[in-house]
Amino acid sequence: MNRNRFKVGAISAVIGVLSTLLVGLTASPASAATPQCNWAQITTFSALPSGRYQYLPTFSGSGGYNYHCWMAYGTRNAGVAALQGAINLCYNSIPDIDVDRVYGNDTLAAVRAVQTQHRIKVDGEYGPDTYAAMKFPLYRIVDNQFSGTCM
């Protein structure tokens, strides 16, 4: 009788471990739910001062624009250029990087520096947390020039 209880307990434990492993294998990573930035978009959020806009990395799809997107090493598009420009204009303590639309080693290092400065997870990837913490330049609508302010 004790032997049967042991077998049932052991089988239950094995099933529990296997089901946990299977759930871990089939769960999708967080980045799968966040679209990859594939564009850059001018925006005039209501919180911005009058006559100013920001140029932000975005995902452009059939549902419109989504600024809560991600980019990582190897990404090549206008969103990377918007990120590179923002780092150059708003983070004077970080060495300027080429605005070349390529998320290479220099951009990776600059994003890590931004993440360190804002005390968020340092992984070198641009995503929703980095977007929320980062400062982006304000441009003047009248002449499309940097206003000298970041927010």
Side-chain angles (χ1 to χ4, degrees):
M1 186 145 170
N2 285 341
R3 190 178 272 175
N4 286 340
R5 283 188 193 166
F6 176 77
K7 286 180 183 177
V8 170
I11 291 171
S12 296
V14 168
I15 290 172
V17 168
L18 287 175
S19 64
T20 301
L21 289 173
L22 289 174
V23 168
L25 290 174
T26 58
S28 60
S31 62
T34 305
Q36 184 174 6
C37 304
N38 60 2
W39 192 247
Q41 175 69 24
I42 291 174
T43 184
T44 54
F45 291 121
S46 60
L48 297 179
S50 179
R52 303 290 189 262
Y53 70 87
Q54 288 181 318
Y55 186 59
L56 302 173
T58 186
F59 168 76
S60 176
S62 60
Y65 298 104
N66 182 350
Y67 300 105
H68 297 280
C69 54
W70 66 270
M71 295 181 287
Y73 184 84
T75 303
R76 295 169 178 261
N77 60 42
V80 177
L83 173 65
Q84 292 166 331
I87 292 170
N88 287 347
L89 291 172
C90 297
Y91 293 90
N92 295 327
S93 63
I94 299 171
D96 280 355
I97 52 179
D98 289 336
V99 180
D100 60 2
R101 302 172 52 112
V102 177
Y103 204 118
N105 289 324
D106 292 344
T107 304
L108 181 74
V111 170
R112 284 183 177 149
V114 168
Q115 292 167 333
T116 299
Q117 186 172 334
H118 289 286
R119 297 184 175 153
I120 60 175
K121 180 181 175 188
V122 179
D123 59 7
E125 293 185 6
Y126 175 87
D129 291 342
T130 305
Y131 162 70
M134 246 185 98
K135 294 178 185 176
F136 286 90
L138 294 179
Y139 297 95
R140 294 184 297 262
I141 290 174
V142 295
D143 61 4
N144 294 322
Q145 296 297 312
F146 176 50
S147 71
T149 304
C150 296
M151 64 179 291

